[in-house]
Amino acid sequence: MTREILYFAWLRERIGLPRETVDSDAATPRALIAELAARSDGHAAAFDDIAALRCALDQVLADLDAPLGDAREVAFFPPMTGG
Amino acid sequence: MAARLTDLPFDPAHQLAGFGAGAGAVVTFTGLVRDDTGRMAALEIEHYPGMTERAMTDHGMTAAARFRLVDWMILHRHGRIEVGQPIMMVATAARHRRAAFDAADYLMDWLKSRAPFWKREIGRDGQAAWVAAKPEDEDALSRW
């Protein structure tokens, strides 16, 4: 399935892209990360510490082990620092 | 009742015109950019367009229901913000002060670790560094 993958903050900087379109059969964000990490050295660096990452499916926060389902937009980012 | 993002400076006092009509208590909190290191020029805030507005609105509505608010407001800046300037504010209005205080506290705890914002410190030397999330901000959510 084709999905839009979005990156924010230092993930975006390490990967060098704000977004990319990816075709993947991964069932969860965690499985998708494993595929993405193999795309480049920048991706590998961005996904080096998975415990430090957050994820949103179609703009709703989700667990890394949640089913990806038919989510069109998958975002990965570091823990938020608002306020 | 409003959640708003802006990339322009704002005056917290001006935001309160007409806010909380009919309430018995209004609580406001304003966050200012502070320089802990003595070397900072500004903060730069990145957000997730689309998700940020929706998440702020959802949480304002959740707080309104939970604390029976008469009115609420969340305003957050993005882009570059100079040291000393307001970065965000929340305002809550309720019949009684306890609900207004609690709702403002709740919204702040949530904004710190659940709203999709990321801060970067810009030094006076032009160097930039991402601000790491604090575990105590995450822990604060468990109070609710």
Side-chain angles (χ1 to χ4, degrees):
Chain A
M1 179 170 177
T2 304
R3 304 180 203 266
E4 280 294 298
I5 316 294
L6 275 60
Y7 307 113
F8 292 96
W10 52 255
L11 266 88
R12 172 178 51 69
E13 288 184 340
R14 287 183 193 175
I15 289 168
L17 296 169
R19 61 168 63 219
E20 56 189 334
T21 307
V22 167
D23 196 27
S24 164
D25 293 323
T28 64
R30 194 182 297 281
L32 181 58
I33 284 171
E35 294 179 11
L36 294 170
R39 288 172 83 91
S40 75
D41 289 348
H43 287 78
F47 291 117
D48 183 42
D49 183 7
I50 291 175
L53 296 185
R54 300 286 183 272
C55 153
L57 304 180
D58 285 336
Q59 305 192 349
V60 176
L61 287 177
D63 194 88
L64 290 182
D65 295 312
L68 278 173
D70 53 5
R72 307 296 310 176
E73 186 175 296
V74 182
F76 293 107
F77 37 79
M80 295 79 112
T81 52
Chain B
M1 315 224 177
R4 273 202 305 127
L5 273 172
T6 179
D7 60 353
L8 298 173
F10 67 89
D11 179 344
H14 286 169
Q15 303 299 320
L16 293 172
F19 180 82
V26 170
V27 166
T28 70
F29 172 85
T30 303
L32 308 175
V33 176
R34 72 170 186 261
D35 176 11
D36 283 342
T37 62
R39 296 191 300 273
M40 217 174 96
L43 274 182
E44 205 164 73
I45 308 284
E46 180 170 334
H47 74 291
Y48 183 166
M51 178 175 171
T52 310
E53 296 89 330
R54 196 165 87 182
M56 290 198 303
T57 301
D58 285 352
H59 276 268
M61 288 167 60
T62 300
R66 177 168 177 166
F67 300 98
R68 297 185 186 181
L69 298 179
V70 175
D71 204 352
W72 61 270
M73 172 176 35
I74 306 171
L75 177 60
H76 207 296
R77 278 189 67 181
H78 64 97
R80 182 185 169 103
I81 312 164
E82 307 302 316
V83 167
Q85 286 194 352
I87 170 173
M88 52 80 57
M89 70 177 287
V90 300
T92 55
R95 286 181 56 76
H96 301 288
R97 69 184 156 89
R98 181 56 57 202
F101 273 119
D102 286 351
D105 215 7
Y106 167 84
L107 284 174
M108 283 310 305
D109 280 346
W110 171 81
L111 274 163
K112 282 279 180 190
S113 54
R114 290 289 184 276
F117 291 103
W118 300 275
K119 283 178 185 153
R120 196 156 61 149
E121 291 182 354
I122 312 295
R124 287 189 209 137
D125 57 4
Q127 297 275 3
W130 291 102
V131 175
K134 297 191 188 79
E136 56 265 36
D137 287 339
E138 179 74 30
D139 295 346
L141 272 182
S142 61
R143 294 194 292 146
W144 308 102

